[in-house]
């Protein structure tokens, strides 16, 4: 849903326990505030009571992409869980 928002170049999301992080790469960072609101509006129907955090930091996007790729490749789940815990604590 976040990728379909105007001004979003790409987005990744992860959820852990009762939390969701959406990390988006924007086309125009001067429109960040309005884009974050639109992302929240687009994603809200899918949350089902989960807490949402939105990041437009490219480093956060990269970390989530790495976690996603590790999971898809069958990487070590313990390390992924630790990475996700660290990511959620840092936001």
């Amino acid at each position: 849903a976040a990728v379909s928002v105007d001004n979003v170049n790409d987005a990744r999301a992860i959820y852990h326990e009762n939390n969701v992080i959406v990390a988006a790469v924007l086309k125009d960072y001067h429109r960040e505030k309005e884009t974050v609101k639109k992302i929240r509006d687009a994603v809200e129907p899918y949350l089902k009571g989960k807490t949402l955090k939105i990041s437009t930091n490219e480093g956060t996007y990269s970390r989530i992409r790495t976690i996603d790729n590790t999971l898809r490749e069958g990487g070590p789940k313990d390390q992924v869980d630790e990475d996700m815990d660290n990511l959620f604590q840092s936001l």
Side-chain angles (χ1 to χ4, degrees), residues 1-11 22 24-28 31-44 46 54 56:
V3 175
S4 67
V5 171
D6 179 47
N7 194 40
V8 173
N9 193 39
D10 196 15
V22 173
V25 177
L26 306 183
K27 296 173 186 173
D28 179 1
R31 298 174 41 208
E32 180 178 13
K33 188 174 180 178
E34 73 179 74
T35 305
V36 167
K37 182 187 179 327
K38 289 179 182 179
I39 291 170
R40 183 172 303 282
D41 291 344
V43 173
E44 190 74 36
Y46 302 100
I54 299 171
T56 58

Side-chain angles (χ1 to χ4, degrees), residues 2 14 19-20 39 62 83 85:
I14 60 170
N19 300 295
V20 176
I39 291 170
S62 179
D83 289 347
D85 285 339

Side-chain angles (χ1 to χ4, degrees), residues 48-60:
K48 300 180 182 176
K50 292 180 176 56
T51 302
L52 174 64
K53 295 182 181 188
I54 299 171
S55 174
T56 58
N57 177 286
E58 290 189 31
T60 301

